Amino acid sequence: MSTQTKFLLDESKMPKHWYNIAADLPKAAPPVLHPGTMQPVGPDDLAPLFPMELIMQEVSTEREVPIPEPVRDVFRLWRPSPLLRAHRLEKALGTPAKIYYKYEGVSPAGSHKPNTAIPQAWYNQQAGIKKIATETGAGQWGSSLAFAGALFGIQVTVFQVRVSFDQKPYRRALMETYGARCIASPSNETNAGRAILAQRPDHPGSLGIAISEAVEVAATNDDTKYALGSVLNHVLMHQTIIGQEAMLQLEMAGDDPDVIVGCTGGGSNFAGIAFPFIGQQLRGGGKTKQRRIVAVEPAACPSLTRGKYAYDFGDTAHMTPLTKMHTLGSTFTPPGFHAGGLRYHGMAPLVSHLKELGLIEATAYHQNACFEAGVTFARSEGIVPAPEANHAVLGAINEALRCKREGRSEVILFNLCGHGHFDMSAYSNYSAGKLVDQPYDEAELAMALSGLPGVPA
Amino acid sequence: MSTQTKFLLDESKMPKHWYNIAADLPKAAPPVLHPGTMQPVGPDDLAPLFPMELIMQEVSTEREVPIPEPVRDVFRLWRPSPLLRAHRLEKALGTPAKIYYKYEGVSPAGSHKPNTAIPQAWYNQQAGIKKIATETGAGQWGSSLAFAGALFGIQVTVFQVRVSFDQKPYRRALMETYGARCIASPSNETNAGRAILAQRPDHPGSLGIAISEAVEVAATNDDTKYALGSVLNHVLMHQTIIGQEAMLQLEMAGDDPDVIVGCTGGGSNFAGIAFPFIGQQLRGGGKTKQRRIVAVEPAACPSLTRGKYAYDFGDTAHMTPLTKMHTLGSTFTPPGFHAGGLRYHGMAPLVSHLKELGLIEATAYHQNACFEAGVTFARSEGIVPAPEANHAVLGAINEALRCKREGRSEVILFNLCGHGHFDMSAYSNYSAGKLVDQPYDEAELAMALSGLPGVPA
């Protein structure tokens, strides 16, 4: 127990570049298509929604993209985040494996989301933008962008799915404390929202509808842009600071991971920890250590393990461009479960592409097993993980138990992407035995998949 | 903005001793009295409640008390905690002062309380104790002891004031996630609780009643001890790791504080940051920099600024020993406000003694001003402080504004003792203009003070 627990990097060692995996891919990812023409989109097509710097990052193939100094200055508030060796968890499991976790819950918003919220807000500010509209489900992304907006003087409007708006008043209070405006979606502030409310005044909302509202506000107001918290290439790239730091910290620890585990919803925290290591393998050919990279998703919303790799829309209302990704169909509604950040019908195109290339594995777990892992983790390592992060915790635990069975002392690294302090009602329900492992509806999945736009490969 | 923000200590630099200010006091603090005999208590009087190692720490006059290695091993999960320079807050205030804050919200429970919960649990475990009973109001202390119990295999029972038990289910969920049992107080599990419930079945509870219940359980069960989260000498000493680390970190920053600010309820986080600096002054005589040490308390519960320095009981039911302290009277009931951790009628005897010796200052603020300071802090530094910590934030801001008026570039250090992620409903009420700055009732204070036991000085 006297070996080192925490590996800290001085802020002078914080990465100065994001890592862009597009530079190292053996084969480029399929292009993004315009929803009207079904032709590849150009930068100008995206200009109403994003500042040009972010659009250029979206399509960049440069390996290293500089992190602007004002962005690094904000990151210094919590970055470099700590890497910890889970000595007590290893002991509790009786495993010969070494388990490391990168802890992103130290950010002011409690998750990895500020890693991209800060640069997105900064690039918008540099482009003279005064307002950003976005959507949020449970609220991790909305509160992170609210935080970023407060620092860069940008007015943030968050369309929050109504059921979360009503059930999770604390995340909303966090957004408002940072000065953002939080609106229950569907709302009366957009055509998209009004159309839904006309049909059903008590509509509980969905991420798809909230996206439509935020996109509409950005598209119809010159002073307003849109921001997304996952899925897109530039968002995933912003998260690679996680994996780059982890690489330096594991060097300090004298270890090199055999297995890297992350949870996947839209794919950004997983990409953040995994892409720098995958890139190292891709560049090194056979000479670099070959690692297993494991994506863990909820069994109730299993895009990587049960979805189809096909072109699909990012939102329910089909206002967004089409991307080729593992999708359950944009009309698929997953059953209710507590990892709200993982309830998305599609997967980031880059993560999907890596899955197709055989560079990553994927597995899916139900929520009770994930919460059980989270409680085991909390009672040994202290930190109560976010429900999303519990998927990665369970993935890491299962790898460690495999090592125990096989008598192998592998090095396991996982991303603990956020703490669960805003999610204690879910733990409460778990403790009370009230959580149900509801499978998705096979018939609904078949229907949603049959409705895919059917763009030829 | 390019100067360093975060000062991190490697875990090898974590202090190996607690600092015991009793060694350096110009005059010893008055003795603790037995409630039956009114004579000074001896170690044996306290033995039913605490393990002997903690009792010896309570009366120790050794300057340095070693921190056991297994305790330091747990601390490595989050300690040394970061010291941050509040560049953005300084800019927002336009002050020439330098503001530093020590951030204790990085602990798994989100506050400084695990600094004493961990050693208390460990000393109990070493003494063969299997169970600890304690009380909690808002829940910071209860969740910290629950965390500590999980790590050392100790069964923790927490009597939580019923009104908090009902209003703050998330703190309770946190305690239960760590494996503790949380009981609404007054309860049917103790004579003290049953007596109260017989009079009033819907009694909302109070910290005084909860203390009585926990003490009763410990006193009447051989396998159970009691633990307190503040006030006592050994608890304050356990928190001095905060100030010792801050001293090393300020050396890294090349600065020496002119003013040190902490919030005070029972006094432990304030003592934690301030005592090592006060000790340095005491030992240095006139040769050391003379610093101002400012305690900030709630105007609705102002023990240091409006209480009487006199012998009083620690609980409402008068089961505890008597200590000389600044007290509002053990029957005083403060009006409701949101910094639950500061709603205590008395002040730590050591903090009270230092106040009498003229070594510290005290000031009191109402809650709306504190929340305003907390929002200013959140929008510049990102972290949303706990309502208790907002008192220290306002104290630091007021010192910085004084520096601005006086054109002085002083160095201000304050203790940000916890984050507010469990307190967002208070922020929500503040934003909605629903918080009232309710003064305490002067007549009630007079009555409570007239009921002091009247032990001769």
Side-chain angles (χ1 to χ4, degrees):
Chain A
M1 269 299 174
S2 59
T3 27
Q4 194 169 353
T5 296
K6 203 158 51 319
F7 299 87
L8 300 176
L9 285 179
D10 190 81
E11 61 187 46
S12 64
K13 304 270 181 63
M14 196 199 302
K16 294 192 164 64
H17 298 87
W18 289 298
Y19 168 65
N20 183 6
I21 200 167
D24 292 320
L25 289 174
K27 182 181 155 192
V32 175
L33 304 184
H34 191 285
T37 64
M38 294 292 176
Q39 295 301 308
V41 295
D44 289 347
D45 295 320
L46 299 171
L49 297 185
F50 304 104
M52 197 48 69
E53 282 281 342
L54 289 174
I55 295 171
M56 296 322 289
Q57 288 184 2
E58 186 67 17
V59 298
S60 168
T61 53
E62 291 295 313
R63 181 172 294 125
E64 295 191 332
V65 175
I67 306 177
E69 200 47 43
V71 170
R72 294 180 76 241
D73 257 334
V74 177
F75 284 170
R76 288 187 175 94
L77 290 169
W78 75 96
R79 303 211 72 87
S81 68
L83 177 82
L84 291 104
R85 169 91 183 267
H87 290 296
R88 284 179 181 73
L89 178 63
E90 293 169 13
K91 201 177 160 192
L93 300 174
T95 179
K98 295 182 183 179
I99 307 175
Y100 290 90
Y101 57 101
K102 182 73 169 163
Y103 184 39
E104 292 292 311
V106 293
S107 85
S111 78
H112 64 292
K113 293 289 186 189
N115 295 336
T116 183
I118 298 296
Q120 289 197 53
W122 187 78
Y123 285 116
N124 273 284
Q125 187 213 45
Q126 291 300 298
I129 302 304
K130 306 285 184 219
K131 299 179 185 173
I132 301 179
T134 196
E135 73 287 328
T136 202
Q140 287 100 331
W141 167 243
S143 52
S144 298
L145 193 66
F147 158 49
L151 295 189
F152 291 115
I154 291 188
Q155 193 181 319
V156 174
T157 301
V158 183
F159 290 91
Q160 184 172 25
V161 176
R162 177 174 288 282
V163 60
S164 294
F165 183 93
D166 291 337
Q167 285 176 358
K168 296 186 183 252
Y170 294 170
R171 274 280 176 195
R172 173 161 42 104
L174 183 57
M175 293 183 236
E176 289 171 350
T177 296
Y178 286 132
R181 216 178 133 225
C182 185
I183 301 163
S185 167
S187 78
N188 270 313
E189 306 213 358
T190 65
N191 289 330
R194 283 186 291 268
I196 302 276
L197 289 175
Q199 290 178 346
R200 185 178 164 190
D202 67 340
H203 198 292
S206 75
L207 212 46
I209 295 167
I211 293 177
S212 300
E213 292 206 271
V215 166
E216 181 182 323
V217 168
T220 55
N221 289 281
D222 281 349
D223 64 348
T224 307
K225 296 287 182 192
Y226 171 71
L228 193 66
S230 189
V231 177
L232 300 179
N233 299 349
H234 68 274
V235 178
L236 272 56
M237 186 182 74
H238 293 162
Q239 296 293 352
T240 58
I241 193 167
I242 301 173
Q244 290 182 75
E245 286 180 5
M247 210 175 264
L248 295 172
Q249 290 165 311
L250 281 167
E251 275 171 26
M252 289 169 66
D255 270 321
D256 193 1
D258 298 285
V259 190
I260 297 171
V261 181
C263 66
T264 47
S268 74
N269 95 78
F270 170 78
I273 196 147
F275 281 11
F277 289 95
I278 297 173
Q280 200 182 49
Q281 283 184 202
L282 289 172
R283 289 193 303 281
K287 283 172 285 181
T288 312
K289 183 172 184 175
Q290 294 303 296
R291 308 177 181 100
R292 290 178 47 233
I293 315 282
V294 182
V296 184
E297 63 183 8
C301 192
S303 57
L304 272 175
T305 55
R306 304 296 298 272
K308 190 170 167 186
Y309 185 56
Y311 270 102
D312 197 7
F313 293 94
D315 70 331
T316 318
H318 297 184
M319 295 172 69
T320 68
L322 288 91
T323 54
K324 193 157 185 185
M325 58 182 177
H326 288 88
T327 178
L328 301 164
S330 63
T331 61
F332 176 77
T333 305
F337 60 94
H338 278 285
L342 309 183
R343 286 185 84 239
Y344 187 65
H345 69 275
M347 179 49 57
L350 275 173
V351 173
S352 295
H353 185 57
L354 291 173
K355 176 76 163 34
E356 286 302 296
L357 293 174
L359 292 168
I360 64 170
E361 306 170 26
T363 184
Y365 297 124
H366 277 295
Q367 65 178 347
N368 273 294
C370 293
F371 275 95
E372 184 186 359
V375 169
T376 298
F377 189 82
R379 294 184 186 181
S380 51
E381 296 292 314
I383 299 164
V384 177
E388 293 81 5
N390 280 342
H391 290 74
V393 174
L394 179 55
I397 286 178
N398 282 345
E399 292 294 332
L401 293 176
R402 175 189 56 74
C403 289
K404 184 180 181 178
R405 286 192 304 274
E406 298 175 357
R408 298 163 72 95
S409 126
E410 294 182 11
V411 176
I412 299 165
L413 167 67
F414 77 94
N415 196 18
L416 189 64
C417 61
H419 68 58
H421 289 179
F422 285 100
D423 306 284
M424 293 314 299
S425 65
Y427 278 91
S428 202
N429 288 338
Y430 167 73
S431 303
K434 287 183 192 163
L435 289 196
V436 178
D437 284 340
Q438 201 180 338
Y440 59 85
D441 184 322
E442 292 280 1
E444 169 160 359
L445 176 60
M447 183 139 74
L449 289 176
S450 74
L452 286 175
V455 181
Chain B
M1 267 300 176
S2 59
T3 26
Q4 194 169 350
T5 296
K6 201 157 51 323
F7 299 87
L8 299 175
L9 286 179
D10 190 82
E11 61 187 46
S12 63
K13 303 270 180 63
M14 196 200 301
K16 294 193 165 65
H17 299 86
W18 288 299
Y19 167 65
N20 182 5
I21 199 167
D24 292 319
L25 288 174
K27 183 183 155 191
V32 175
L33 304 183
H34 190 286
T37 64
M38 294 292 174
Q39 295 301 308
V41 294
D44 289 348
D45 294 321
L46 299 172
L49 297 186
F50 303 105
M52 196 46 71
E53 283 280 342
L54 289 174
I55 295 171
M56 298 320 290
Q57 288 183 2
E58 186 67 17
V59 298
S60 168
T61 53
E62 291 294 314
R63 180 172 294 125
E64 295 190 331
V65 175
I67 307 177
E69 201 45 45
V71 170
R72 295 179 77 242
D73 257 334
V74 176
F75 284 169
R76 288 188 175 94
L77 289 170
W78 75 96
R79 300 210 74 86
S81 68
L83 177 83
L84 290 104
R85 168 90 183 268
H87 290 295
R88 282 179 182 73
L89 178 62
E90 292 168 15
K91 201 177 161 191
L93 300 174
T95 180
K98 294 181 182 180
I99 307 174
Y100 291 90
Y101 56 101
K102 181 75 169 161
Y103 184 39
E104 291 292 311
V106 293
S107 85
S111 78
H112 64 293
K113 293 289 186 189
N115 295 337
T116 183
I118 298 296
Q120 289 197 51
W122 187 79
Y123 286 116
N124 273 285
Q125 186 213 45
Q126 292 300 297
I129 302 304
K130 305 284 184 222
K131 298 178 186 173
I132 301 179
T134 195
E135 72 287 330
T136 203
Q140 287 99 332
W141 166 244
S143 52
S144 299
L145 194 67
F147 158 49
L151 296 190
F152 291 114
I154 290 188
Q155 192 180 319
V156 173
T157 301
V158 183
F159 289 93
Q160 183 172 25
V161 176
R162 177 175 288 283
V163 61
S164 294
F165 183 91
D166 291 337
Q167 284 177 358
K168 296 185 184 256
Y170 294 170
R171 275 279 176 193
R172 172 161 41 106
L174 183 57
M175 294 183 235
E176 290 172 350
T177 296
Y178 286 133
R181 217 178 130 223
C182 185
I183 301 164
S185 167
S187 79
N188 271 312
E189 307 215 356
T190 65
N191 289 330
R194 283 185 291 267
I196 302 275
L197 289 175
Q199 290 179 345
R200 184 177 164 192
D202 66 340
H203 198 292
S206 74
L207 212 46
I209 296 166
I211 293 177
S212 301
E213 292 206 89
V215 167
E216 181 182 325
V217 168
T220 55
N221 289 280
D222 282 348
D223 63 349
T224 307
K225 297 286 182 195
Y226 171 69
L228 193 65
S230 189
V231 177
L232 300 178
N233 300 349
H234 69 273
V235 179
L236 271 57
M237 186 181 73
H238 294 162
Q239 295 294 352
T240 58
I241 193 167
I242 300 173
Q244 291 183 74
E245 286 179 3
M247 210 176 266
L248 296 173
Q249 289 164 312
L250 281 167
E251 276 172 27
M252 289 168 66
D255 271 321
D256 193 1
D258 297 285
V259 190
I260 298 170
V261 181
C263 65
T264 47
S268 75
N269 95 78
F270 170 78
I273 194 145
F275 281 11
F277 289 95
I278 297 174
Q280 200 182 50
Q281 283 185 203
L282 290 171
R283 290 192 303 281
K287 284 172 285 183
T288 312
K289 182 171 185 175
Q290 294 303 298
R291 308 177 181 99
R292 291 177 49 232
I293 315 280
V294 182
V296 184
E297 62 183 9
C301 192
S303 57
L304 273 174
T305 54
R306 306 295 298 272
K308 190 170 166 187
Y309 185 57
Y311 271 102
D312 197 6
F313 294 95
D315 70 330
T316 317
H318 296 185
M319 295 171 70
T320 68
L322 288 92
T323 54
K324 193 157 184 185
M325 58 182 178
H326 288 87
T327 177
L328 301 164
S330 63
T331 61
F332 175 77
T333 305
F337 59 94
H338 277 285
L342 308 183
R343 287 183 85 239
Y344 186 64
H345 69 275
M347 180 49 57
L350 275 174
V351 173
S352 295
H353 185 56
L354 292 173
K355 176 75 166 33
E356 286 303 297
L357 293 174
L359 292 167
I360 65 170
E361 305 170 26
T363 186
Y365 296 125
H366 278 296
Q367 65 178 346
N368 272 296
C370 293
F371 275 95
E372 185 186 359
V375 170
T376 298
F377 189 83
R379 292 184 186 180
S380 51
E381 295 293 314
I383 298 164
V384 177
E388 293 81 5
N390 280 342
H391 290 73
V393 174
L394 179 54
I397 286 178
N398 282 345
E399 292 294 331
L401 293 176
R402 176 188 56 73
C403 289
K404 183 180 180 178
R405 286 192 304 274
E406 298 175 358
R408 299 163 70 95
S409 123
E410 294 182 11
V411 176
I412 300 165
L413 167 67
F414 77 94
N415 195 18
L416 188 65
C417 61
H419 68 61
H421 289 179
F422 285 100
D423 307 283
M424 294 314 299
S425 65
Y427 277 91
S428 201
N429 288 337
Y430 166 72
S431 304
K434 288 185 192 163
L435 289 195
V436 178
D437 284 341
Q438 202 181 335
Y440 59 86
D441 184 322
E442 291 281 0
E444 167 157 2
L445 176 59
M447 181 138 77
L449 288 176
S450 74
L452 285 175
V455 180

